[in-house]
Amino acid sequence: RPGVLNIFCDASVVPKDDCTYFGCPGAMAINNEGMNIDTLYRLFSNSTNNHSEITAILLSFYLAHKHQNYFREINIFSDSQISVFGLRNWMYGWLQNKNNGRLLNSCGEEVANQEIFLQIIQYVLDTRVRTSLYHVKGHVDPTKPVLIAKAIKTFKSSNGIDMDMTTACIVADYNDKVDTC
């Protein structure tokens, strides 16, 4: 749709040695004509998958802020359920369960990568960037209707709204592109 910017983010990790991993979070901004107008990637020499996934969302917010004056609507799509739900659903509980300045989850354990979660919240508050954040099913082949049907079901379950087949195929395609760029 005109005036809409869709930002797709994902992360990859590869072994550095037996105990550590390289992490590569990335985000790409796609305008309503399907053109990639901006991309951000980072490389970490010691990361985890979850660290890289939440960092990819942070990069998405950077892109959203950079382009927010040119689009009336900005959507961020991530296949990291733990990151999306952490920001959208669980953050309020984590903030209520703080102990000695550290966020605790519902089991009383410290929230992993909380510095990045808090950095995102502070960035949104400081910049007043406006976005919608959606969880999507990752690694979906857009040419396989059975997988697209599962992606649509996941989208509805995670976000409470429907997605049509065409949109699901587009989202699946860009989710793969940002991961393999």
Side-chain angles (χ1 to χ4, degrees):
R1 294 184 321 223
V4 175
L5 181 66
N6 291 314
I7 302 173
F8 299 89
C9 62
D10 206 353
S12 296
V13 293
V14 294
K16 179 178 177 182
D17 55 42
D18 289 342
C19 299
T20 57
Y21 293 85
F22 287 109
C24 184
M28 61 191 315
I30 308 298
N31 69 12
N32 55 289
E33 296 165 355
M35 294 177 56
N36 180 350
I37 64 166
D38 210 344
T39 305
L40 282 176
Y41 284 94
R42 298 289 184 264
L43 183 62
F44 296 106
S45 62
N46 188 10
S47 188
T48 64
N49 186 63
N50 287 341
H51 174 268
S52 291
E53 291 280 4
I54 190 63
T55 301
I57 292 176
L58 175 62
L59 297 178
S60 297
F61 277 101
Y62 291 162
L63 290 177
H65 178 248
K66 180 178 179 182
H67 297 285
Q68 74 177 350
N69 293 332
Y70 307 103
F71 295 90
R72 63 175 168 70
E73 181 181 335
I74 300 174
N75 302 306
I76 297 174
F77 298 92
S78 170
D79 64 9
S80 174
Q81 185 179 37
I82 193 167
S83 296
V84 172
F85 282 26
L87 286 166
R88 237 182 32 194
N89 305 68
W90 305 331
M91 178 61 74
Y92 308 102
W94 294 347
L95 289 168
Q96 295 300 316
N97 286 339
K98 262 194 324 191
N99 186 14
N100 292 326
R102 303 295 292 169
L103 302 181
L104 303 178
N105 64 23
S106 60
C107 297
E109 300 165 341
E110 279 198 17
V111 173
N113 304 306
Q114 62 183 271
E115 293 80 9
I116 302 167
F117 280 96
L118 291 169
Q119 186 177 355
I120 292 169
I121 298 300
Q122 192 62 56
Y123 188 77
V124 169
L125 292 172
D126 290 347
T127 63
R128 300 206 182 278
V129 64
R130 60 193 193 298
T131 64
S132 296
L133 178 60
Y134 298 107
H135 171 249
V136 298
K137 185 164 181 49
H139 311 286
V140 174
D141 183 341
T143 65
K144 301 213 164 112
V146 164
L147 297 179
I148 291 297
K150 287 181 181 179
I152 291 170
K153 185 176 180 181
T154 296
F155 191 82
K156 172 78 172 180
S157 172
S158 293
N159 304 296
I161 56 175
D162 289 315
M163 175 184 279
D164 63 50
M165 184 75 78
T166 301
T167 303
C169 288
I170 292 168
V171 168
D173 185 46
Y174 282 111
N175 179 259
D176 183 57
K177 283 180 180 169
V178 73
D179 198 27
T180 57
C181 231

